[in-house]
Amino acid sequence: MSDSMEDQQICGHKVDDFFRKIKQFHNWAAPGLVLGGFMVDWALELIGPGVEADAVVESRHCLPDAVQIFTPCTVGNGWLKVLDWDKFALSLYDRHDRNGFRVWLDLEKAAAFPNLYNWYMRKVPKKSLPLEVLNKTILEAGKRPLSMHSIRMKDLYQRDKKGDIAVCPDCREAYPVRQGNVCRSCAGHAYYQYSERHGNENG
Amino acid sequence: MSDSMEDQQICGHKVDDFFRKIKQFHNWAAPGLVLGGFMVDWALELIGPGVEADAVVESRHCLPDAVQIFTPCTVGNGWLKVLDWDKFALSLYDRHDRNGFRVWLDLEKAAAFPNLYNWYMRKVPKKSLPLEVLNKTILEAGKRPLSMHSIRMKDLYQRDKKGDIAVCPDCREAYPVRQGNVCRSCAGHAYYQYSERHGNENG
């Protein structure tokens, strides 16, 4: 690692601390999170300090965690919205005026970094590109494989309005009235079945 | 706060540390996260140590963060799935045998804690129930307003398989082939429009 990389700061963290935070939350140093860290870093820089920014990520993979680790936006606080588009892009925008920046992996630029490009486009089997080698490439590349554009939000900037809730007549749990006469689960969408092992015990 | 509450441990943390972790990630001590912490605590206890557990939450509000703070499961690493059902329930399950536990807010039990019940069912305006009072009720109630049942996963246990990717002919970004000839954004679903302020600068 060169001297300049040791001095490198990503999202306000030195490289070691950047990796430590990623591993702590995401459980391993996923390359998508290292690259995502640079995307968040750039978006934060573009939007500037003192702006209350909300976020959108365009993939469920890795990028939600890059935003959740390095900004105040989380899925549960509603400041981060996650699109299942499988595109490597994210946006931060001022929640008051809806202006912001979109940052994305630019394949033309990424082609200058073969490890990165081949990993992302799945042109090499995982085994032939060790994690450390790939992450070193991403770290050295920094923002160079990325592009950005200023944006104005057309959609998704709305804060969730919670509607009326009711008690589901089947399961007796609370659910949103707008979903119909019973909750999603009792309407046949349950992802689980109750098993005989345990149940109805008191908390 | 009683002596026993000071000794209380939630998800392996003393009360002060539990609140500190919630505020650090979620930015404020949302009551849904305090209650969610007890749900995660119980689910972890039920599933037992040494089990590699994945998670499902049945609401986008608060619960995703309770799981992300207090378990290794995150949205970005794919171990947590988020359903937009607006039900206050979560499940942890063994990713190998698909058996687990669902824990939920049981309204009949919750009725014994009027602050909690009235808050959740939106029967009182926010202003008339200060956050500290509500959180104290939730802390004192602990697991008592909750119920649980053992489950077997019928769905959502699958790990995402990434399919083939291609370059979108319109925006030149990578996208999943299964979505069609162009990416979701170029198919008319973009949440943003590019503005004139900035763009096409190098990283």
Side-chain angles (χ1 to χ4, degrees):
Chain A
M1 197 178 288
S2 69
D3 279 357
S4 67
M5 279 176 67
E6 280 179 22
D7 293 338
Q8 194 174 14
Q9 294 246 341
I10 313 139
C11 298
H13 300 281
K14 289 193 174 171
V15 171
D16 283 356
D17 196 37
F18 174 73
F19 274 97
R20 192 186 55 75
K21 286 188 87 78
I22 287 174
K23 286 180 195 165
Q24 191 175 49
F25 187 69
H26 190 79
N27 289 275
W28 65 291
L33 238 84
V34 183
L35 187 54
F38 281 103
M39 294 168 70
V40 171
D41 182 89
W42 200 15
L44 286 172
E45 181 191 323
L46 287 164
I47 208 158
V51 173
E52 289 195 310
D54 282 5
V56 177
V57 293
E58 300 179 22
S59 172
R60 287 195 291 138
H61 305 287
C62 291
L63 288 180
D65 287 3
V67 169
Q68 293 186 113
I69 296 169
F70 298 113
T71 81
C73 306
T74 72
V75 172
N77 70 18
W79 304 350
L80 166 63
K81 296 205 170 73
V82 179
L83 294 173
D84 191 16
W85 287 3
D86 224 344
K87 293 191 75 177
F88 217 75
L90 59 83
S91 297
L92 291 189
Y93 63 95
D94 183 324
R95 72 180 61 142
H96 302 294
D97 71 13
R98 300 178 198 167
N99 292 316
F101 292 88
R102 180 173 183 266
V103 176
W104 67 94
L105 177 64
D106 186 321
L107 294 176
E108 281 182 33
K109 296 179 182 178
F113 307 93
N115 286 343
L116 195 169
Y117 185 86
N118 291 335
W119 156 72
Y120 192 80
M121 299 304 285
R122 282 169 233 152
K123 292 190 181 295
V124 283
K126 276 189 181 181
K127 283 178 190 168
S128 68
L129 184 57
L131 182 64
E132 309 79 59
V133 175
L134 174 55
N135 278 344
K136 188 165 181 290
T137 298
I138 295 174
L139 208 53
E140 287 172 348
K143 298 172 193 167
R144 284 179 289 165
L146 308 176
S147 281
M148 70 83 177
H149 208 295
S150 56
I151 57 168
R152 180 159 176 83
M153 296 294 286
K154 291 196 300 181
D155 196 6
L156 298 187
Y157 55 81
Q158 307 87 342
R159 285 292 169 91
D160 267 358
K161 273 265 176 196
K162 289 189 190 171
D164 289 335
I165 53 176
V167 180
C168 174
D170 285 2
C171 68
R172 312 296 303 164
E173 296 175 38
Y175 79 108
V177 171
R178 67 173 185 277
Q179 290 176 355
N181 293 328
V182 294
C183 77
R184 299 302 292 158
S185 183
C186 295
H189 303 286
Y191 58 89
Y192 56 87
Q193 57 193 31
Y194 284 144
S195 61
E196 294 303 309
R197 293 174 297 136
H198 296 278
N200 274 327
E201 293 170 27
N202 280 316
Chain B
M1 199 179 285
S2 70
D3 280 358
S4 67
M5 279 176 68
E6 281 178 21
D7 293 339
Q8 196 175 15
Q9 295 244 342
I10 313 140
C11 298
H13 300 281
K14 289 194 176 171
V15 172
D16 283 356
D17 196 37
F18 174 71
F19 274 96
R20 192 186 55 74
K21 285 187 87 79
I22 288 174
K23 285 180 195 166
Q24 191 175 48
F25 187 68
H26 190 78
N27 288 276
W28 66 291
L33 241 89
V34 183
L35 187 55
F38 281 102
M39 295 168 71
V40 172
D41 182 88
W42 201 14
L44 286 172
E45 182 191 322
L46 288 164
I47 208 158
V51 173
E52 290 194 311
D54 282 5
V56 177
V57 293
E58 299 179 21
S59 172
R60 286 196 290 138
H61 305 287
C62 291
L63 288 180
D65 287 3
V67 169
Q68 293 186 113
I69 296 168
F70 297 114
T71 81
C73 307
T74 72
V75 172
N77 70 19
W79 304 350
L80 166 63
K81 296 204 170 76
V82 179
L83 294 172
D84 190 16
W85 287 4
D86 224 345
K87 293 191 75 177
F88 216 76
L90 59 84
S91 297
L92 291 189
Y93 63 95
D94 183 324
R95 72 180 61 140
H96 302 295
D97 71 13
R98 300 179 199 166
N99 291 316
F101 291 89
R102 181 173 182 265
V103 176
W104 67 95
L105 177 64
D106 186 321
L107 294 176
E108 281 181 35
K109 296 179 182 178
F113 308 93
N115 286 342
L116 194 168
Y117 185 86
N118 292 335
W119 157 71
Y120 192 80
M121 298 303 285
R122 283 168 233 154
K123 292 188 180 298
V124 283
K126 277 188 181 179
K127 283 178 190 167
S128 67
L129 185 57
L131 183 63
E132 308 79 57
V133 174
L134 175 55
N135 278 344
K136 188 164 180 291
T137 298
I138 296 174
L139 208 54
E140 287 172 348
K143 298 171 193 168
R144 285 181 288 166
L146 308 176
S147 280
M148 70 85 178
H149 208 294
S150 56
I151 58 168
R152 180 160 176 82
M153 296 294 286
K154 291 196 300 181
D155 195 6
L156 297 188
Y157 54 81
Q158 307 88 341
R159 286 293 168 91
D160 269 356
K161 273 265 176 195
K162 290 188 192 172
D164 289 335
I165 52 176
V167 180
C168 174
D170 284 3
C171 68
R172 311 297 304 165
E173 296 176 37
Y175 80 107
V177 171
R178 66 173 185 279
Q179 290 177 355
N181 292 330
V182 293
C183 76
R184 300 301 292 156
S185 184
C186 294
H189 302 285
Y191 58 90
Y192 56 86
Q193 57 193 33
Y194 284 144
S195 60
E196 295 303 309
R197 291 174 299 135
H198 296 278
N200 273 329
E201 293 169 26
N202 280 316

